[in-house]
Amino acid sequence: RHAVPFSHPLEVRAGEFPDLKHCKIVIIAAGVSQKPGETRLQLLGRNVEVFKEIIPQIFQYAPEAVLLNSTNPVDIMTHMAARYAKDYGVPSRRIIGSGTTLDTARFRTLLGKHLGVDAQHIHAYVVGEHGDSEVLTWSLVNIGGIPLEEFIRMEGIQLDNRVRERIDEEVRKAAYHIIEGRGATYYGIGSAIARIVNVILFDQR
């Protein structure tokens, strides 16, 4: 709350399910914490039980809301949320997950650091699941519209298989390193969710 004067007026408080009334978007970040060394899939059973309890209450008070899930394993949990929401007449198109938004940001950040380019001008995507089997799409990378291979050739930058494998590993295993060091991931996923919310609320396509 003390950071509010540096941004914009905002009331931050703990609430109850009735406070969701008239919400346009509800973010689910509920669930048990991922332990060091635990895979996202190992969280599944415990987090499914949490969703069974909260999904009905969310749509009791915010039946028209878009549900944005970030609880891991995010893709499976989003699917489960859509299944539970269907019981309340909520179409699956209103249930979305944070997906690989954060992984994509990590990919762009690490590439930008290696190439010496602002990550906002690097267009690179991680596809598939948010997890260990995600895919970094090296062949689609461009820097300000210039294909990656052409850019590194023009700039004389080395980006061999060893470097690519290191970046791939750092993107893929980032959460495990952060959890080991800090206990949980907060800031990256928080920023990714804020971006997704803005895209939806302001129809940014």
Side-chain angles (χ1 to χ4, degrees), residues 4-203:
V4 167
F6 301 112
S7 53
H8 52 82
L10 184 69
E11 183 71 21
V12 180
R13 64 183 175 86
E16 303 293 338
F17 284 103
D19 293 310
L20 296 176
K21 195 173 181 180
H22 305 307
C23 280
K24 294 179 179 178
I25 299 179
V26 175
I27 298 163
I28 297 186
V32 295
S33 297
Q34 189 173 354
K35 299 172 184 174
E38 184 179 32
T39 68
R40 291 181 179 96
L41 287 177
Q42 288 170 327
L43 287 173
L44 180 59
R46 295 186 292 155
N47 280 340
V48 163
E49 293 304 313
V50 174
F51 272 38
K52 282 181 182 176
E53 182 180 332
I54 66 174
I55 298 288
Q57 296 186 77
I58 290 171
F59 287 114
Q60 178 183 346
Y61 295 103
E64 302 302 318
V66 170
L67 196 66
L68 172 55
N69 173 51
S70 67
T71 298
N72 279 318
V74 72
D75 302 291
I76 298 172
M77 294 306 299
T78 302
H79 176 73
M80 297 306 296
R83 281 182 58 184
Y84 298 143
K86 187 178 179 183
D87 295 339
Y88 299 90
V90 178
S92 60
R93 67 177 177 273
R94 281 206 273 129
I95 315 296
I96 62 174
S98 53
T100 54
T101 308
L102 178 56
D103 310 280
T104 291
R106 289 168 173 161
F107 187 21
R108 292 172 61 191
T109 298
L110 292 170
L111 261 178
K113 183 178 178 183
H114 183 78
L115 300 176
V117 176
D118 181 347
Q120 292 189 40
H121 298 291
I122 293 176
H123 301 277
Y125 301 93
V126 176
V127 299
E129 71 142 352
H130 171 60
D132 298 339
S133 68
E134 63 193 26
V135 177
L136 281 66
T137 57
W138 287 98
S139 61
L140 300 179
V141 175
N142 75 74
I143 293 83
I146 302 170
L148 176 62
E149 298 303 326
E150 183 180 340
F151 182 85
I152 61 175
R153 189 169 58 251
M154 285 187 333
E155 298 295 319
I157 297 171
Q158 184 176 355
L159 190 64
D160 57 19
N161 287 338
R162 182 184 57 79
V163 175
R164 291 176 196 239
E165 286 170 8
R166 176 181 57 77
I167 291 174
D168 187 291
E169 180 75 5
E170 288 184 23
V171 170
R172 196 180 303 276
K173 302 295 184 183
Y176 299 118
H177 295 302
I178 295 167
I179 289 167
E180 187 178 336
R182 298 189 61 87
T185 60
Y186 307 112
Y187 304 109
I189 189 59
S191 298
I193 289 170
R195 175 71 179 122
I196 294 168
V197 169
N198 276 329
V199 167
I200 295 169
L201 287 181
F202 300 106
D203 195 20

